[in-house]
Amino acid sequence: MEILKLQKLVEEAWEDRQLLGNKEYFEAIQAVIMKLDNGELRVAEPMGSLWHVNDWIKKAVILYFPIRDMKVIENTPFVYHDKMKLKTNI
């Protein structure tokens, strides 16, 4: 998926979280995360002597959490309700 299309879908999902249930938006967020992992995208990048923050990529990272399945992890006496499966390169 091209970058401008990914950006458009992320921005739309950011404005309307109900879109996260739509396969196209889910896959767009997954694609952004994969491109970050592969070094194809950066949340912030140098531009001359300044740094430019790609807000839409930041939004995709934040939207990644609600599309993942959360599970309860117990480590007595603590119980964590906000854990998701770790990403692996397998």
Side-chain angles (χ1 to χ4, degrees):
M1 198 177 294
E2 71 177 59
I3 299 300
L4 291 177
K5 175 77 171 173
L6 289 174
Q7 182 176 359
K8 177 183 176 292
L9 292 171
V10 167
E11 294 287 359
E12 288 174 359
W14 183 259
E15 293 300 321
D16 182 1
R17 302 292 167 95
Q18 291 185 3
L19 294 173
L20 294 175
N22 183 310
K23 181 180 176 185
E24 184 179 26
Y25 293 90
F26 179 90
E27 289 176 352
I29 293 166
Q30 294 277 74
V32 171
I33 298 301
M34 186 174 65
K35 288 180 179 299
L36 278 169
D37 287 348
N38 293 335
E40 298 172 40
L41 292 175
R42 295 178 72 174
V43 174
E45 55 193 335
M47 291 192 148
S49 62
L50 302 174
W51 281 82
H52 170 73
V53 176
N54 296 307
D55 286 330
W56 72 274
I57 298 174
K58 222 168 54 170
K59 291 174 183 176
V61 171
I62 293 168
L63 291 172
Y64 180 71
F65 291 93
I67 68 168
R68 305 302 302 166
D69 291 328
M70 297 292 170
K71 63 181 183 176
V72 174
I73 296 177
E74 293 186 41
N75 186 8
T76 307
F78 305 106
V79 179
Y80 306 96
H81 296 271
D82 59 348
K83 301 300 176 197
M84 66 180 149
K85 184 178 176 194
L86 296 175
K87 293 188 304 175
T88 63
N89 291 329
I90 298 173

